């Protein structure tokens, strides 16, 4: 049996239906647990005070905002190559979730920036490229909504997701060229010598994992909604013909 | 391919409302700028490269809906799709024609408007150069946007929403090159990067645009 059998809509509805309660549970546990841990049981940063705690929302949402587009690119590729309808619907379902994650990242960043940098917004490379990413999401969602025929819409948005992915990365580095910024560098990377201190790191990783599960749960729930919408539409067409 | 290019050029020049409108729009934008921000020379000189680049971007965008929509409406695109010329080539020819009637005149007109906006000496030439290098990217990315929205009625705003974020790298490098020259710095690096973006778009965007067109013609 190949992995592609899970992409059959009936099977997809089956296994996601069984998996989703666990995903939602895990997401709730990790996000709430990580946030409570981060907000109430970690010390204040010696320079940033308690504002540092926004990091437990800011970093995970930003992470999932970027990965959201990555999910769309992979799902679009699978749709273009193997024509699994569920894959196109997953790409469609991921876009609003990614857009919301982008907004959460931008807003928490603004709230954090106000006390730290003395301004809600600066035209810093990271902030700017995130804003551009948000615009990409908007265009993608608008294209889905504008096209009537579901297969044509899936094809066109897939091409847009691929091209947009390339341009999002290009914009990211073009923006670096344009302006130097206030945003600190990454405090958490696999290859860095010195990372963020463990007291902050552990709850942060917890909320990051939680946001990953939350993202997955949201996307699968939305994809199931789209599958059901398709079924309802098909049934409506059938009864009209009969 | 050349015949198609010539046909599009002739249509743009002879059929009313295409050729020249983008230029007029570009000029009006340059005239409106001092009204909006005030007539102080240092301020105008400082923002002139950015304003002119933005004007070029918008002028290009406004003329995009004529790039494919008319041909999609009257069935020319179907004929092009079954012609021996690959659709990629047809799209490339149409984008090139679009560049010749909008991007190229914009680049040639830019130094005059630069003088109006008191852009200092060397800046005007680099502005022309940067527009000359960068506007092909605008036309070819625009062709992709037009191909995506060819099947949508009144897709103008949708196309703007899709195309403008894709213009970000071109705008950054182009305006940076012109701005650096206006400040007296060396514009070579952004110009080279702009050339890279432009060449990449000319090479790759016809593929994406043709893929989108095939879906719309299905």
């Amino acid at each position: 049996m190949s992995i592609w059998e899970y992409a059959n809509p009936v099977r997809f509805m089956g296994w996601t239906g069984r998996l989703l309660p666990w995903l939602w549970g895990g997401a709730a546990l990790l996000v709430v647990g990580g946030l409570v841990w981060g907000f109430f049981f970690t010390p204040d940063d010696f320079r940033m005070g308690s504002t540092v705690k926004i990091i437990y929302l800011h970093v995970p949402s930003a992470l999932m905002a970027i990965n959201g587009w990555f999910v769309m690119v992979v799902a679009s590729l699978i749709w273009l190559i193997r024509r699994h309808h569920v894959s196109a619907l997953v790409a469609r379902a991921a876009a609003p979730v990614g857009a919301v994650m982008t907004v959460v990242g931008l807003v928490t960043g603004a709230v954090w920036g106000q006390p730290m940098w003395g301004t809600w917004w600066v035209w810093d490379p990271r902030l700017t490229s995130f804003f551009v990413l948000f615009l990409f999401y908007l265009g993608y969602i608008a294209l889905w909504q504008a096209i009537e025929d579901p297969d044509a819409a899936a094809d066109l948005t897939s091409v847009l997701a691929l091209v947009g992915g390339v341009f999002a990365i290009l914009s990211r580095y073009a923006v670096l060229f344009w302006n130097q910024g206030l945003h600190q560098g990454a405090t958490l990377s696999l290859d860095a010598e010195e990372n963020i201190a463990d007291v902050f790191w552990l709850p942060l990783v917890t909320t990051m994992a939680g946001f990953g599960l939350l993202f997955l749960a949201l996307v699968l729930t939305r994809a199931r909604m789209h599958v059901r919408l398709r079924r309802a539409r098909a049934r409506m067409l059938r009864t009209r013909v009969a | 391919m050349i015949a198609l290019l010539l046909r599009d050029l002739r249509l743009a020049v002879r059929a009313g409302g295409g050729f020249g409108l983008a230029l007029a729009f570009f000029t009006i934008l340059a005239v409106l700028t001092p009204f909006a921000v005030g007539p102080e020379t240092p301020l105008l000189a400082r923002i002139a490269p950015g304003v002119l680049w933005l004007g070029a971007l918008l002028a290009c965008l406004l003329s995009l809906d004529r790039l494919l929509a008319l041909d999609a409406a009257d069935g020319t695109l179907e004929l092009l799709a079954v012609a021996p010329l690959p659709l990629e080539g047809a799209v490339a020819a149409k984008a090139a024609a679009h560049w010749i009637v909008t991007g190229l005149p914009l680049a040639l007109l830019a130094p005059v408007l630069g003088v109006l906006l008191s852009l200092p000496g060397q800046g005007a030439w680099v502005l022309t150069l940067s527009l000359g290098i960068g506007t092909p990217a605008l036309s070819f990315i625009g062709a992709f946007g037009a191909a995506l929205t060819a099947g949508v009625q009144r897709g103008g705003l949708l196309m703007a929403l899709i195309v403008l974020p894709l213009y970000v790298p071109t705008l950054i490098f182009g305006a940076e090159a012109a701005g650096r020259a206006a400040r007296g710095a060396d514009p070579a690096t952004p110009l080279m990067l702009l050339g890279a973006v432009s060449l990449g778009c000319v090479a790759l965007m016809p593929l994406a645009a043709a893929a989108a067109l095939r879906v719309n013609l299905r």
Side-chain angles (χ1 to χ4, degrees), chain A residues 81-198:
Chain A
I81 297 168
R82 301 201 52 118
R83 313 302 284 183
H84 289 301
H85 283 267
V86 166
S87 179
L89 292 181
V90 164
R92 177 176 197 179
V97 184
V100 169
M101 291 287 179
T102 318
V103 171
V104 172
L106 284 172
V107 170
T108 53
V111 171
W112 197 358
Q114 215 288 326
M116 282 305 103
W117 300 339
T119 168
W120 297 97
W121 181 262
V122 282
W123 290 100
D124 162 283
R126 283 195 190 219
L127 278 67
T128 312
S129 39
F130 237 71
F131 209 131
V132 173
L133 179 68
F134 178 61
L135 297 179
F136 275 110
Y137 273 122
L138 285 190
Y140 179 88
I141 296 169
L143 188 63
W144 260 112
Q145 286 176 349
I147 297 169
E148 293 272 321
D149 178 52
D151 278 8
D155 280 336
L156 293 175
T157 51
S158 299
V159 178
L160 179 63
L162 298 184
V163 173
V166 173
F167 272 86
I169 294 170
L170 199 59
S171 306
R172 168 87 182 82
Y173 289 98
V175 163
L176 272 184
F177 180 82
W178 159 77
N179 199 354
Q180 297 307 313
L182 283 174
H183 198 293
Q184 59 182 344
T187 42
L188 196 63
S189 25
L190 296 177
D191 56 350
E193 291 268 315
E194 192 179 357
N195 274 324
I196 185 172
D198 275 358

Side-chain angles (χ1 to χ4, degrees), chain B residues 15-217:
Chain B
F19 185 61
L21 269 188
L23 275 183
F25 173 82
F26 191 48
T27 316
I28 290 173
L29 203 86
V31 175
L32 289 183
T33 307
F35 294 141
V37 301
E40 295 88 4
T41 307
L43 175 66
L44 281 181
R46 166 108 181 70
I47 63 170
V51 167
L52 290 176
W53 253 96
L54 212 51
L57 215 73
L58 295 177
C60 207
L61 183 75
L62 285 178
S63 53
L64 279 180
D65 54 346
R66 309 180 61 89
L67 185 65
L68 291 171
L70 293 180
D71 285 347
D74 68 3
T76 315
L77 273 184
E78 274 93 342
L79 286 180
L80 283 177
V82 294
L85 177 69
L87 201 52
E88 283 83 0
V91 172
K94 293 186 83 63
H98 178 263
W99 178 68
I100 293 172
V101 293
T102 54
L104 192 59
L106 287 184
L108 296 177
L109 186 65
V112 182
L113 298 179
V115 172
L116 283 183
L117 294 179
S118 51
L119 187 68
Q122 206 215 342
W125 301 114
V126 177
L127 180 66
T128 305
L129 193 61
S130 70
L131 279 171
I133 295 175
T135 41
L138 301 185
S139 287
F140 276 80
I141 296 171
F144 170 62
L148 275 184
T149 55
V152 183
Q153 297 296 314
R154 289 178 297 280
L157 268 180
L158 176 65
M159 184 158 59
L161 184 58
I162 290 172
V163 166
L164 284 179
L166 297 179
Y167 280 172
V168 169
T170 322
L171 175 65
I172 288 176
F173 292 134
E176 180 74 20
R180 278 196 188 182
R183 289 196 302 272
D186 179 22
T189 317
L191 276 181
M192 278 186 242
L193 286 166
L194 183 64
V197 171
S198 215
L199 287 175
C201 287
V202 170
L204 297 177
M205 291 318 271
L207 301 176
L213 264 189
R214 283 203 189 93
V215 175
N216 272 324
L217 290 173

Side-chain angles (χ1 to χ4, degrees), chain A residues 51-69:
Chain A
T51 62
V52 73
K53 295 183 175 180
I54 300 171
I55 198 174
Y56 303 116
L57 280 172
H58 182 67
V59 171
S61 59
L63 178 77
M64 291 327 293
I66 297 168
N67 284 344
W69 195 279

